[in-house]
Amino acid sequence: MAQASGGSPESHDAQLPPPPQPEDEEGQGERLVELHASFRELFTFFCTNATVHGAIRLVCSSQNRLKTASWGLLFLGALGALYWQFGLLFEQYWSYPVIMTVSVHSERKLFPSVTLCDMNPHRPSSVRHHLQALDRFARENIRSLYQFNFSEDGDVPFADDQGPQPAFYLDRSVRLQRLSHPGGQSRVGFRLCNSTGGDCFYRAFSSGVTAAREWYRFHYVSILALLPAAHEDSHQSHGGHFVFSCQFDGRDCQARHFQTFHHPTYGSCYTFNGVWAAQRPGITHGISLVLRTEQQDHLPLLSTEAGIKVMIHERDHTPFLEHQGFSIRPGTETTIGIREDEVRRLGSPYSHCTDGVEDVGGQLLYNASYTLQVSLGPWGGRKGASQGGPRGGHCFYRLYRDLGTHRLPCASRCPRSCRESSYKLSAGTSRWPSSKSADWILAVLGKPGALPLTPLPCPRSNMAKVNIFYQELNYRTVEETPVYSVPELLSAMGSLWSLWFGSSVLSVLELLELLLDAVALTLLLGCRRLCRTRVPDGAATVASHAKPEASPLPTDCRNDVNHLGGPAGLFSHAASGSCGRNLC
């Protein structure tokens, strides 16, 4: 049959079509980026394969337009509600709310500083004659207002001081007087004017005692301003025996454990700054002091109290006894128990606080750690030593009044400290020494080396005993904690996302991938349109007649996008000289 057909088997085999050659392995390799042919295919692929709940209902209900529209509205509504709640969440986060967390700790603590003042303002010898002139002027004012004459022994005799006296002019125009007040109420005070004699400012008080003290204090501080920074030590003038004895945890205190200073109103002051830590709670493990309360250089118009002023405060903090101190009565033993609370603030942006003076924008008057009271110290403590006489006093009291009525922006410029401790005190008193033990205790305290007490009808009134201790070593910490930290913010966002779409972080990445694919597809379609416009019209016509089924893209562009019989194509990373690379 092969011969009849006029050919041989070999020639028949030669006429068969050649077997298909395997394509280049490089062309069949893995593509770099998968791109869809249209946005419809991209959206269909996403809705079919995404893990976001409800997305597949937009595709599977494509034959029912009502269902598709309903699910589309539900999907968009859930998305809108999600981002509305995101907005509320971020609004609350950016308001930086805090909650106060209270915790209790138990550990050894450094004993706080203790400041004690003898409430006996002294008369420095270098300005003693000025103070005597002030006392005479004060008697004149009291006599003219209240027809009261001081006793002749009101002055304490002093030896004549032969040293140089600083120049001082006592302005007698600043005197106590009765001031008219609306409503007919009588008030007592004094008047201060500026350097030109105008803008007069009145310091008026309903209490004559308060008015006399404030008036005397004004002149007294003006006289003390004449003294140099290292003036006479009032502790030496008192014999240095304000503190008779001191013990902490059974050990004697040393002189290096105390710092001394003079307060214009409360006299000689001692601050105990020991470096000991409280080992155990209880009276025997605290500090015990026997103090002298006798008033030698008594200034009756400045100090109207007898006793000891005490304040317990943090280490390296300036004590403001007028605001936070308490008094101890002479002839008593006072026991003071301490409980400590520590406050910790977060600072900016959660709260307005500072850790140092660098955030205040000014220089502090006191060389101590920053506190709000230190920042307001020249006004709140009224320790501004240099008032510049009556004219400076006019400015001082003007500012002091504006501060008290909140007319100055000091609260905003002087923030609170970010970390501070406060002490809760509980006190008890008893008579000390008792009538049976007073003789031998006074004899022991008057031993050689100590200044004997002046015999008085009741010598027990010249001394006092103070015991200060930790009631317990547990201390409470009140700490600011942010309502929303970054992990909690992400957790809240994840909870909302799961509530509305029932998905996770990977679902968010799927949405990100959809966005990137849409951008890439937009660029590719733009590139295809650009390639189409650059092909000559004649070549495009011939190509359309020769291969009507081919893609309208040029040959080099068709090598870039290879449709593999499905909705997706592959952008080859091995194509060379392609239109996409040259034009896109």
Side-chain angles (χ1 to χ4, degrees), residues 520-543:
L521 183 58
T522 302
L523 294 177
L524 181 60
L525 294 179
C527 178
R528 177 184 299 178
R529 178 171 298 180
L530 182 62
C531 292
R532 183 181 303 170
T533 58
R534 295 188 59 177
V535 174
D537 295 338
T541 304
V542 173

Side-chain angles (χ1 to χ4, degrees), residues 199-261:
D199 189 26
C200 293
F201 175 76
Y202 292 87
R203 290 280 291 169
F205 305 89
S206 58
S207 170
V209 175
T210 305
R213 290 188 62 196
E214 288 293 326
W215 174 84
Y216 192 93
R217 188 205 308 266
F218 166 75
H219 287 290
Y220 178 75
V221 173
S222 298
I223 294 175
L224 291 185
L226 302 174
L227 298 174
H231 62 274
E232 175 188 357
D233 189 0
S234 62
H235 313 280
Q236 296 299 327
S237 65
H238 284 189
H241 289 284
F242 170 56
V243 180
F244 276 116
S245 67
C246 171
Q247 283 191 334
F248 180 83
D249 198 13
R251 294 172 288 181
D252 291 334
C253 306
Q254 305 296 326
R256 57 186 173 86
H257 296 149
F258 288 92
Q259 295 178 351
T260 61
F261 65 94

Side-chain angles (χ1 to χ4, degrees), residues 3 48 74 90 115 127 234 352 364 390 421 483-484 513 515 538 540 566:
Q3 292 176 355
T48 306
L74 289 175
F90 276 97
T115 298
V127 292
S234 62
H352 186 47
L364 297 179
S421 295
V483 175
Y484 286 109
E513 181 187 22
L515 179 61

Side-chain angles (χ1 to χ4, degrees), residues 533-584:
T533 58
R534 295 188 59 177
V535 174
D537 295 338
T541 304
V542 173
S544 62
H545 283 83
K547 294 183 179 180
E549 73 283 359
S551 171
L553 287 175
T555 305
D556 52 356
C557 288
R558 289 197 301 269
N559 292 332
D560 292 342
V561 182
N562 181 20
H563 295 281
L564 300 180
L570 297 177
F571 188 84
S572 174
H573 65 279
S576 60
S578 65
C579 173
R581 184 177 61 186
N582 294 334
L583 300 179
C584 303

Side-chain angles (χ1 to χ4, degrees), residues 89 96 261 315 356 395 430 438 453 456 463 475 480 508:
L89 181 63
Y96 302 107
F261 65 94
R315 296 173 55 83
C395 177
S430 61
L453 298 176
L456 293 175
M463 59 195 332
Y475 66 97
E480 287 185 347
V508 179

